[in-house]
Amino acid sequence: MNTLIAASVLSADFSRLADEINRLKSADIIHLDLMDGHFVPNLSFGYPLVSCIRGLTDQPLDAHLMVTNPQNYIDGLSRLGVSWFSFHQETVYHSHRLIQQIKDHGMKAGIALNPATPVNTLDSILEDLDYVLAMSVNPGYSAQSFIPSAIAKIKELDRIRKSRNMDFLIEVDGGVNAQTSPALREAKADILVSASYIFGSKDYDKSITTLKGQ
Ligand code: DX5
Ligand code: ZN
């Protein structure tokens, strides 16, 4: 499978949002970082902006919930046309129930792992997941430095999915750029999320092509 690129709008210039989204034509997915100032020490945006972005593009929307109550947003985000929904393993007691609810709403279901959360916390739920989101920075901000231990985590996830014959996708998020992406593709990450590298460049399409390794 070709590597998919999810452009995170966290680093976009919101005063020119239509133009920014328009320049992401080669991105496979638009990544939406939703933060509550509680699970992470930052606020980002909510339904009004998601709705606005939905009106600007037909590209699939991938919501990354960095909030302590992700269950409260399943219905609202599915109504807004979000098709990928991930929540953090560290935030919920009943991840199995949540995964079923996300799927019942017609969305792909994923679980995100902080850099310090081991893969084995997902052992009993992996076969129910459409994707795993491995964080390669501590969540909350764009433009942080890549944490190299993410590479071993991606390799471990790939090894498990092969040995257990599973088909969940592996998404990696944080510090993805021209320097870090080759090792991530080699480790078999399927989806690379990027904010500051894409939006900090002159030619977004060219940066996306670089991340894909083309
Ligand atoms: C961090 C977010 C990321 C962030 C990535 O909490 O989940 O999606 O936007 O930003 P970069 O690509 O700049 O590290
Ligand atoms: Zn994210």
Side-chain angles (χ1 to χ4, degrees):
M1 188 181 111
N2 286 336
T3 312
L4 302 175
I5 305 302
S8 160
V9 296
L10 197 58
S11 292
D13 179 349
F14 289 169
S15 71
R16 302 185 297 107
L17 193 57
D19 183 39
E20 293 280 68
I21 298 288
N22 205 27
R23 293 175 68 195
L24 295 173
K25 288 271 190 289
S26 0
D28 303 284
I29 297 168
I30 305 295
H31 182 88
L32 307 171
D33 288 305
L34 302 168
M35 306 181 190
D36 64 353
H38 188 204
F39 175 61
V40 291
N42 196 10
L43 293 164
S44 56
F45 51 82
Y47 291 147
L49 202 91
V50 175
S51 169
C52 180
I53 292 171
R54 178 70 298 169
L56 292 170
T57 177
D58 292 331
Q59 284 153 296
L61 301 181
D62 166 29
H64 173 194
L65 283 280
M66 287 164 275
V67 307
T68 47
N69 293 304
Q71 63 274 13
N72 293 354
Y73 307 101
I74 295 173
D75 192 51
L77 289 172
S78 77
R79 282 173 193 274
L80 287 176
V82 164
S83 47
W84 301 63
F85 185 110
S86 68
F87 61 89
H88 271 260
Q89 174 74 331
E90 304 84 9
T91 61
V92 299
Y93 296 123
H94 303 292
S95 51
H96 184 274
R97 177 182 296 149
L98 220 60
I99 292 294
Q100 302 314 317
Q101 288 174 353
I102 295 165
K103 290 181 169 177
D104 287 347
H105 281 75
M107 297 184 287
K108 290 184 195 298
I111 295 188
L113 297 176
N114 277 341
T117 305
V119 166
N120 66 14
T121 59
L122 298 179
D123 267 359
S124 308
I125 191 89
L126 270 182
E127 59 202 344
D128 295 293
L129 295 180
D130 294 307
Y131 64 110
V132 175
L133 172 47
M135 290 304 301
S136 38
V137 297
N138 287 297
Y141 303 92
S142 56
Q144 301 182 83
S145 300
F146 181 79
I147 298 174
S149 60
I151 293 181
K153 195 177 266 185
I154 292 163
K155 286 183 177 166
E156 187 182 354
L157 283 162
D158 183 52
R159 188 176 45 72
I160 294 170
R161 79 176 155 182
K162 281 192 182 115
S163 69
R164 291 174 60 184
N165 203 16
M166 295 187 292
D167 58 2
F168 62 82
L169 298 180
I170 303 170
E171 182 173 29
V172 59
D173 185 3
V176 175
N177 56 36
Q179 283 71 45
T180 55
S181 54
L184 294 168
R185 290 193 306 271
E186 197 182 314
K188 298 283 185 274
D190 304 289
I191 307 168
L192 306 185
V193 178
S194 170
S196 56
Y197 172 68
I198 294 175
F199 287 100
S201 68
K202 278 203 168 69
D203 183 339
Y204 297 175
D205 285 337
K206 196 166 162 233
S207 303
I208 290 166
T209 305
T210 301
L211 293 179
K212 282 177 183 264
Q214 292 169 352

